[in-house]
Amino acid sequence: MRLDTDNYRQLFLNDTPMIDLRAPIEFTQGAFPNSISLPLMTDDERALVGTCYKQKGQQAAIKLGHELVNGEIKDARMERWLAFCRNNPEGYIYCFRGGLRSRTTQQWLKDAGVDYPLVLGGYKALRNTLLEVLSEVTTQLPFYIVGGKTGSAKTLMVNTLPNAVDLEGAAHHRGSSFGSFVNAQNTQINFENITAIQMLKNQHAGYSHLVFEDESRNIGSVDLPKALYQKMLISPVAVIEDPFEIRLQRLLQEYVINMVADYTRVHGEEQGHILCEEYLLSGLDKIRKRLGNERWQTLRQTMQKAIKLHQAGAGFDAHLNWLTPLLAWYYDPMYEYQLSLKAERIVYRGNWQECHDYLQERSAN
């Protein structure tokens, strides 16, 4: 029999599978990448029990909970828990504080012949641990920042370095006006949890510093933790300097070709094309004020022509007709200005491979 645990960091270091017994709405607001939602109660059941607790006290609430989760409902949930336990013998269960929901489920599993441990302190203790990690690692480890103009493949570099933290991956957003993906962005809590776990693993691996992509304060709808962002603002920067044409082709692939493929794969050919068109036009509309009305109208008309061509099967090259001026008019001047503010922190400049080699050498130190 394995014991209940409060070794929270080890759970994350090992990617230990866990059952989250909280209600679906709690899981949606924030959870952990190594957990699965198999709730003891639905949102409605939890609300009823909560109201009962406030009006009649704990015992009445417990009694109502047993009445709501009984018979075939209980059997169905038990079957899912038991299947998880069979498939993940090293796993754990948790509720919000490691209290009634997890202990009730643990006892039911035991009655069915399965001794399965719980996380002491539950979700709250796990979450607090990750917040501690964010603060601790930010304070203790130096950072390097990967800079470069739009299309420099900064995210790719981050994902090929062993001591890097992929903030855009954690946010599930690319950080630009065209940064969203087919699926919804991660919540603020999930973004922080994923980021903290990456930082914990890098710290545990013994790296002397971490590498981050140059980001603004926000990535889509999520905010970088204040201390993390402030540390990034004073850290040395390695700048990728790739040619305009290479960056342009990367944007065509990333913003258009890949997104058309993703939308049609998820939503089907007809609906996928409609939604991808909305994504492209919306991305341009977000920067209308910064472009100025005349340039925005020109690019929008050019984009609509390119969309019609690719939808008709004529390929994607026409999208270069709006991507080229978008880089020249908007993204490049904006980043050149931002880079001028970081001039004193720039420690290296080179093409993608040269910057990669520079940071790779330092990761071994």
Side-chain angles (χ1 to χ4, degrees):
M1 176 183 173
R2 292 182 300 119
L3 300 176
D4 298 339
T5 187
D6 61 0
N7 194 350
Y8 311 121
R9 296 189 180 211
Q10 204 60 47
L11 292 174
F12 293 120
L13 287 170
N14 293 341
D15 293 323
T16 304
M18 296 184 284
I19 294 177
D20 189 322
L21 294 162
R22 299 174 303 152
I25 190 171
E26 295 174 280
F27 186 88
T28 300
Q29 290 167 349
F32 310 109
N34 51 328
S35 65
I36 182 173
S37 179
L38 294 176
L40 174 62
M41 292 183 288
T42 65
D43 294 333
D44 290 342
E45 290 163 353
R46 174 176 172 263
L48 289 171
V49 170
T51 300
C52 181
Y53 179 85
K54 290 177 183 177
Q55 295 176 349
K56 299 180 181 179
Q58 186 181 49
Q59 290 307 313
I62 293 173
K63 182 174 181 292
L64 176 60
H66 281 281
E67 291 171 0
L68 292 171
V69 186
N70 207 346
E72 292 182 0
I73 292 174
K74 178 181 175 182
D75 291 344
R77 291 174 197 177
M78 279 291 296
E79 184 51 44
R80 290 194 289 269
W81 296 330
L82 288 168
F84 181 93
C85 295
R86 287 193 297 269
N87 293 330
N88 301 279
E90 75 282 19
Y92 287 83
I93 60 175
Y94 67 83
C95 60
F96 184 63
R97 290 190 180 89
L100 195 57
R101 285 182 283 183
S102 54
R103 295 199 178 278
T104 297
T105 304
Q106 187 182 50
Q107 184 59 53
W108 286 352
L109 288 170
K110 191 172 184 179
D111 293 342
V114 177
D115 280 320
Y116 210 71
L118 59 81
V119 178
L120 297 168
Y123 169 85
K124 189 174 183 180
L126 290 165
R127 168 73 173 155
N128 285 340
T129 296
L130 292 181
L131 292 176
E132 290 169 6
V133 166
L134 275 172
S135 175
E136 176 186 303
V137 178
T138 298
T139 301
Q140 292 180 0
L141 291 184
F143 295 171
Y144 272 91
I145 307 300
V146 178
K149 293 178 180 177
T150 301
S152 295
K154 299 184 290 291
T155 304
L156 175 63
M157 182 166 299
V158 163
N159 280 292
T160 56
L161 291 168
N163 59 327
V165 177
D166 182 6
L167 294 173
E168 293 186 4
H172 194 55
H173 194 282
R174 288 179 292 247
S176 71
S177 58
F178 295 91
S180 61
F181 291 98
V182 176
N183 298 320
Q185 193 176 348
N186 284 334
T187 65
Q188 180 71 33
I189 292 173
N190 284 352
F191 166 68
E192 292 169 359
N193 288 346
I194 294 167
T195 299
I197 291 169
Q198 289 187 49
M199 293 172 74
L200 174 66
K201 289 181 176 180
N202 281 322
Q203 178 195 49
H204 184 74
Y207 291 114
S208 60
H209 65 272
L210 300 180
V211 178
F212 293 86
E213 181 176 345
D214 194 11
E215 302 287 356
S216 62
R217 183 72 172 81
N218 313 98
I219 303 177
S221 62
V222 303
D223 300 327
L224 271 63
K226 185 177 180 181
L228 176 67
Y229 180 62
Q230 289 178 336
K231 179 76 167 280
M232 291 171 67
L233 289 177
I234 60 172
S235 298
V237 182
V239 179
I240 303 170
E241 295 185 327
D242 273 354
F244 186 94
E245 281 301 319
I246 290 177
R247 296 188 291 111
L248 184 63
Q249 289 298 324
R250 286 183 184 137
L251 288 189
L252 176 65
Q253 185 69 43
E254 187 175 331
Y255 286 0
V256 183
I257 299 173
N258 290 351
M259 292 302 288
V260 169
D262 288 347
Y263 272 106
T264 54
R265 174 179 50 82
V266 173
H267 297 286
E269 195 76 16
E270 184 177 349
Q271 185 67 8
H273 279 303
I274 292 171
L275 292 173
C276 191
E277 180 175 359
E278 290 176 1
Y279 149 78
L280 287 169
L281 292 170
S282 172
L284 192 63
D285 292 347
K286 288 173 186 174
I287 54 175
R288 177 177 180 173
K289 288 184 178 179
R290 294 183 181 180
L291 282 170
N293 205 50
E294 186 176 340
R295 283 180 168 179
W296 167 77
Q297 284 183 331
T298 300
L299 291 183
R300 204 173 201 275
Q301 290 168 1
T302 308
M303 177 188 283
Q304 287 173 317
K305 290 177 184 176
I307 290 170
K308 287 181 180 178
L309 285 169
H310 88 235
Q311 288 178 347
F316 297 99
D317 284 351
H319 285 281
L320 295 172
N321 295 332
W322 65 268
L323 279 168
T324 300
L326 183 69
L327 267 186
W329 293 346
Y330 176 68
Y331 280 119
D332 281 6
M334 179 179 66
Y335 199 78
E336 283 167 6
Y337 169 72
Q338 292 173 349
L339 210 57
S340 70
L341 303 178
K342 301 166 184 158
E344 294 182 356
R345 296 193 285 123
I346 296 173
V347 293
Y348 189 81
R349 292 176 183 266
N351 64 31
W352 192 94
Q353 190 60 54
E354 290 166 344
C355 282
H356 183 275
D357 293 345
Y358 173 83
L359 292 168
Q360 180 79 54
E361 288 171 9
R362 274 142 192 80
S363 71
N365 296 339

